Amino acid sequence: MEKRDIYDRFKGVIYGQAVGDALGLGTEFMTDEDIAWKYPDGLRHYSQILQDSHRSRWKIGDWTDDTDMMLCIADAVIEDGGVDFRNVAKHFKKWANGIPMGIGINTHHVLTADEYEEKPFEVSEMVWKISKCQSAANGGVMRTSVVGLFPQAVAVCAENICKLTHYDPRCVGSCLIVSELIHALVYGRQIPSVPAILDMAKKYDPRISEYVMMAWQEEDVNRLMNDDCMGYTLLTLSVALWAFWHAESFEDGLLKVVNAGGDADTNAATACAILGAKFGYSAIPEEYVEGLIYREQLDNVIEKLADICIPQIGHQTVGE
Ligand SMILES: [Mg+2]
């Protein structure tokens, strides 16, 4: 793979995530009927996003908690020039202590516990056990794309960074699959086949396989949606894999996932990070990039992260 391509895919992951998150906010928590009512021709542009009480808390073209937390991971890695899970936890905590718009319930419980900074893994495990090991929300998988950009140790980092807030093996398995897939796409490694993904899934939890198979077999993303388990990590994993296997382009996947509703910002953030890895930054239509109001922040992070993860390429020498 050309070095230029690696950088384009690398950048595509971060931008893809942010674009999916920002447009997905427009249909977050909406059912099909709701979307048909409020966006009769479908949601295509940030400018169309309905300004109701939920959505008007964000400016048009802002992303939500999914990308905020992904950037917490990126910032910690940039600070350390590597990965230190405790510093990632510190960045999560600092974000939660600010105005963590859109924070999920599980993440809130974990990050606001008194001892979180000293014992993040223990606190996270305890909160999961209090849920009787039932809680398996998509708060880990929504931010794991950036881990796929790490030059090595992707599996161990995906597992542990997930466990900093989401201890359930379904969450951990979801993160591993998404991060490994992104890593393979960005760095030109062998793309995991369906059986290889099923093998990864089996190592964590037998319940993951069904959602992988649904994504592979189902042509229509709407048929994956289930309002009864909105926010479930395996549903988000399934939608993301669906986009990888079935979307014809970045825009095709973005619009289909966003207009399927449900936990649309998280589903689209995860799906579009993978699509960014598959098709590259250059395949993201300009209007989605230019409409992001904090895109300078993304450029800054991408530049610094690329210097750490792909120093042999260096941002300065690419695309010029
Ligand atoms: Mg969100």
Side-chain angles (χ1 to χ4, degrees):
M1 182 181 280
E2 288 264 334
K3 287 175 176 181
R4 193 178 296 264
D5 290 345
I6 295 182
Y7 186 74
D8 190 54
R9 288 161 193 257
F10 190 97
K11 192 169 174 181
V13 171
I14 304 280
Y15 264 97
Q17 156 116 20
V19 165
D21 189 0
L23 192 66
L25 172 66
T27 57
E28 187 186 14
F29 305 138
M30 285 189 187
T31 59
D32 286 351
E33 304 76 57
D34 227 7
I35 294 171
W37 180 302
K38 288 160 182 163
Y39 303 109
D41 300 317
L43 172 61
R44 297 187 66 91
H45 308 288
Y46 304 132
S47 60
Q48 288 173 272
I49 294 177
L50 185 80
Q51 294 298 290
D52 58 10
S53 59
H54 174 55
R55 276 158 268 274
S56 62
R57 295 184 296 146
W58 285 271
K59 290 181 186 161
I60 297 282
D62 192 2
W63 53 72
T64 75
D65 58 319
D66 312 66
T67 304
D68 284 342
M69 291 196 82
M70 186 267 282
L71 292 171
C72 287
I73 301 170
D75 288 342
V77 167
I78 290 166
E79 222 168 77
D80 295 323
V83 67
D84 171 351
F85 300 133
R86 282 181 186 277
N87 196 28
V88 175
K90 256 189 206 167
H91 279 262
F92 287 166
K93 178 78 178 175
K94 195 172 141 204
W95 171 75
N97 284 345
I99 307 169
M101 298 236 295
I103 189 169
I105 298 165
N106 180 81
T107 307
H108 174 77
H109 284 154
V110 173
L111 295 183
T112 55
D114 287 341
E115 290 190 297
Y116 182 72
E117 268 190 72
E118 297 85 73
K119 298 178 179 172
F121 292 108
E122 289 86 343
V123 167
S124 171
E125 184 179 11
M126 191 187 66
V127 169
W128 176 60
K129 285 187 172 159
I130 290 171
S131 82
K132 299 196 165 60
C133 307
Q134 296 298 308
S135 172
N138 54 14
V141 75
M142 73 181 194
R143 62 181 192 227
T144 200
S145 59
V146 67
V147 179
L149 301 180
F150 295 179
Q152 51 262 319
V154 171
V156 67
C157 291
E159 280 184 29
N160 282 287
I161 291 173
C162 178
K163 281 184 176 174
L164 285 172
T165 53
H166 289 69
Y167 217 82
D168 191 280
R170 289 166 289 177
C171 300
V172 181
S174 308
C175 285
L176 183 105
I177 292 168
V178 169
S179 293
E180 289 280 27
L181 179 57
I182 286 178
H183 186 80
L185 287 165
V186 169
Y187 292 99
R189 308 273 153 75
Q190 189 175 5
I191 308 300
S193 60
V194 177
I197 291 178
L198 290 171
D199 277 346
M200 288 186 216
K202 264 183 239 153
K203 272 196 252 164
Y204 293 90
D205 194 292
R207 288 168 286 188
I208 303 174
S209 304
E210 182 194 340
Y211 285 81
V212 173
M213 286 316 294
M214 273 172 13
W216 173 248
Q217 288 163 347
E218 188 53 71
E219 302 259 314
D220 181 356
V221 71
N222 290 288
R223 293 170 56 126
L224 297 175
M225 305 311 287
N226 179 349
D227 292 341
D228 296 332
C229 57
M230 210 185 273
Y232 183 32
T233 188
L234 296 184
L235 189 55
T236 297
L237 172 69
S238 194
V239 171
L241 289 175
W242 177 89
F244 172 61
W245 285 318
H246 302 279
E248 284 162 20
S249 65
F250 182 90
E251 189 174 24
D252 177 53
L254 168 71
L255 296 180
K256 283 183 178 154
V257 171
V258 163
N259 285 288
D263 199 355
D265 60 328
T266 297
N267 292 344
T270 313
C272 292
I274 295 177
L275 294 178
K278 182 175 179 180
F279 296 111
Y281 170 78
S282 48
I284 304 177
E286 263 179 33
E287 62 178 289
Y288 296 117
V289 167
E290 283 168 7
L292 289 174
I293 52 175
Y294 301 117
R295 58 180 289 207
E296 265 180 39
Q297 189 186 345
L298 293 188
D299 288 333
N300 192 21
V301 164
I302 290 163
E303 196 176 293
K304 289 179 177 158
L305 201 61
D307 277 346
I308 293 168
C309 298
I310 39 176
Q312 73 279 21
I313 293 176
H315 66 275
Q316 308 264 343
T317 59
V318 179
E320 285 166 8

